[in-house]
Amino acid sequence: MIDCPYYKIVPKDFEDNLRFRTAVLEECRTDPAARKDYLQMCREDILFFLNCFAWTYSPKEFPDEPARPFITYPFQDDGILDMCSAIGKSRRCIPKSREMGVTWMMLS
């Protein structure tokens, strides 16, 4: 299993996540050492990267603000880690249903 040492510090609540992202971006803007540290954290932890920096687009669900932070659900965490662990090993077949985020998971 892939280790995700920083993922737990990212809030999953929508408003808390936005505040966290804003604080991280401000810290990165003003502190070169922090910028370097966050880049390394992203390299080491795919779930930290996605939940802290990635965005998704969902115009059906949120027509007024379709660009949304990509805040993963537990089943997405499992799927993303499974996909990452399979890279370079074999072909992978993933059952896909609508509106579950599989396309965004694969693209990320």
Side-chain angles (χ1 to χ4, degrees):
M1 183 56 78
I2 295 172
D3 188 29
C4 295
Y6 311 110
Y7 168 61
K8 62 184 173 267
I9 68 171
V10 183
K12 296 292 230 156
D13 173 77
F14 181 80
E15 295 296 329
D16 291 342
N17 184 276
L18 285 176
R19 281 190 285 278
F20 182 80
R21 287 169 180 247
T22 300
V24 167
L25 290 174
E26 180 61 20
E27 190 175 4
C28 287
R29 188 182 71 75
T30 60
D31 184 346
R35 190 168 43 244
K36 184 178 177 182
D37 290 343
Y38 282 116
L39 183 58
Q40 187 61 36
M41 291 166 75
C42 289
R43 287 184 182 120
E44 295 176 16
D45 187 337
I46 184 70
L47 296 179
F48 172 80
F49 165 70
L50 293 175
N51 285 276
C52 189
F53 292 103
W55 288 74
T56 186
Y57 186 76
S58 186
K60 288 182 194 172
E61 191 174 355
F62 304 102
D64 294 337
E65 291 187 51
R68 313 284 288 181
F70 190 4
I71 302 170
T72 57
Y73 294 106
F75 74 90
Q76 291 173 320
D77 296 340
D78 294 340
I80 290 164
L81 295 178
D82 186 49
M83 283 186 268
C84 288
S85 67
I87 292 173
K89 293 181 182 172
S90 65
R91 295 191 322 178
R92 185 62 113 202
C93 180
I94 298 172
K96 183 183 179 319
S97 61
R98 305 284 306 153
E99 307 300 326
M100 297 303 288
V102 174
T103 301
W104 288 105
M105 290 163 48
M106 302 270 308
L107 289 170
S108 6

